[in-house]
Amino acid sequence: MTDSSEKKYRGRFAPSPSGPLHFGSLVAAVGSYLQAKNAGGEWLVRIDDIDTPRNISGAADDILRTLEAFGFKWDGAVIYQSRRDELYRTALQQLTAQGATFPCGCSRREIADSSLLGIEGPVYPGACRNGLTAGRIARAVRVRVDDTNVEFTDLIQKSITQNLATEIGDFVLRRADGIIAYQLAVIVDDAAQRITEIIRGADLLASTPRQIYLQRLLGYPTPSYGHLPVATNRAGEKLSKQTLATPIDAKNPTRPLFDALTFLGQNPPVELRQSSQEPLWDWAFRHWSLAKVPASRAIRHHSAATDLGRML
């Protein structure tokens, strides 16, 4: 892993515009923002809108307005993945020139019917690894993975080991619909933006070994990673658009901000719950500690106002 300790700290928050910000998004924004500012570094905002079918019209602008209403201040211009497709395809071409990729003609049904189950669904069985069989048409492009462990030390989750061959398989870099996959786009952007540390939700923890693998293939530096606990609803599901997460209230930002700090183990003084956001941010800047952030949270959250209030 590349040592970036001597470089200027650069962190980022990269929401997808598939809906408005919810409490889980706020947790990731607060954690990454305070970590960057505590290090005297820069905090960038990037809109990860590469998966265009999932984007909702107006959601990106709504996300930025919500961040502003909560008092976030980012460095530099906001970057949109949907405007950077050429960079991603250049990286894919580089991997192809290295012999690291192959065209795949398998359908999802075929993979599901012939594969072992891994950590995120069926493990790709390698049917097209040595060339397309007669009658198959290339649908996606995959990267070949080695049968070795990818290991890294997460700042919050500690030692992580994943064998891509047995737990994931050769994974997609260009989808059947022609869209560049998230795993490739995100590492191209992180390298281009010189990101030194990534603080994000633990729902992305399983993706990190794939991203490190691609960084090594492309000769990119590997940032430090810290994965925050994931906020869930009463059913234990991650808060998301799919689980009908309630948007955070940008008109009354202090309460959700206080709840996010509490969720992250920072324990702000109770009296700040009724203050304006400026004193709360001032306290957070002075007292932020990544060491206090729990690896997971046993308490589930239907809404910050209801469930977190019972913790105080």
Side-chain angles (χ1 to χ4, degrees):
M1 185 176 296
T2 301
D3 181 7
S4 58
S5 60
E6 296 182 0
K7 300 177 183 178
K8 181 177 177 62
Y9 187 104
R10 288 172 71 88
R12 51 81 160 172
F13 175 58
S16 298
S18 56
L21 288 184
H22 51 72
F23 183 71
S25 311
L26 180 63
V27 166
V30 169
S32 60
Y33 185 58
L34 289 174
Q35 182 71 355
K37 297 308 176 183
N38 184 259
E42 296 177 328
W43 185 72
L44 287 67
V45 171
R46 183 175 72 228
I47 301 297
D48 280 5
D49 57 350
I50 190 73
D51 193 355
T52 50
R54 295 182 64 243
N55 296 339
I56 292 180
S57 178
D61 290 340
D62 180 72
I63 287 170
L64 296 178
R65 285 193 297 268
T66 300
L67 290 174
E68 288 178 335
F70 271 78
F72 291 96
K73 298 176 182 178
W74 52 88
D75 297 287
V78 175
I79 283 180
Y80 296 78
Q81 283 188 332
S82 58
R83 304 172 188 175
R84 298 166 63 80
D85 191 66
E86 184 176 348
L87 288 175
Y88 310 142
R89 296 190 184 277
T90 297
L92 180 59
Q93 290 170 2
Q94 181 180 336
L95 291 170
T96 299
Q98 295 172 201
T101 70
F102 63 91
C104 177
C106 299
S107 67
R108 289 185 179 181
R109 172 60 64 85
E110 289 171 325
I111 295 171
D113 288 345
S114 62
S115 302
L116 297 175
L117 194 63
I119 59 174
E120 287 190 348
V123 175
Y124 179 68
C128 301
R129 212 171 200 259
N130 298 315
L132 294 171
T133 57
R136 284 194 181 273
I137 298 174
R139 296 165 55 87
V141 174
R142 294 179 181 269
V143 63
R144 290 185 176 86
V145 300
D146 297 329
D147 188 13
T148 55
N149 291 334
V150 176
E151 301 176 350
F152 71 100
T153 301
D154 189 87
L155 297 170
I156 300 168
Q157 307 297 329
K158 307 308 178 186
S159 180
I160 303 296
T161 300
Q162 187 181 105
N163 186 296
L164 293 179
T166 60
E167 299 182 65
I168 298 292
D170 303 320
F171 57 95
V172 171
L173 298 184
R174 193 191 71 208
R175 301 180 347 189
D177 59 6
I179 293 176
I180 296 295
Y182 164 79
Q183 307 294 358
L184 179 58
V186 71
I187 64 114
V188 170
D189 286 332
D190 288 337
Q193 293 185 287
R194 305 188 308 280
I195 300 300
T196 60
E197 188 170 278
I198 296 171
I199 304 297
R200 60 187 181 185
D203 54 308
L204 291 169
L205 182 61
S207 290
T208 304
R210 274 169 279 178
Q211 292 168 20
I212 292 174
Y213 185 77
L214 290 175
Q215 288 161 355
R216 292 172 179 172
L217 286 178
L218 288 164
Y220 294 167
T222 293
S224 300
Y225 288 92
H227 288 85
L228 306 167
V230 175
T232 62
N233 60 20
R234 294 188 187 279
E237 302 166 319
K238 171 198 165 187
L239 295 181
S240 67
K241 177 192 171 188
Q242 287 71 29
T243 59
L244 305 179
T246 303
I248 52 176
D249 185 2
K251 296 180 181 179
N252 299 288
T254 302
R255 181 71 171 272
L257 180 58
F258 182 96
D259 290 345
L261 289 167
T262 301
F263 182 84
L264 289 169
Q266 303 305 298
N267 299 318
V270 174
E271 57 269 22
L272 289 178
R273 201 176 190 209
Q274 306 300 328
S275 71
S276 62
Q277 59 178 304
E278 288 79 8
L280 185 54
W281 273 123
D282 180 66
W283 182 93
F285 290 139
R286 289 184 288 107
H287 294 88
W288 170 253
S289 172
L290 194 68
K292 293 180 179 179
V293 177
S296 61
R297 294 302 303 244
I299 298 175
R300 296 170 180 167
H301 305 271
H302 176 67
S303 71
T306 301
D307 293 319
L308 278 168
R310 295 170 183 161
M311 297 171 57
L312 305 176

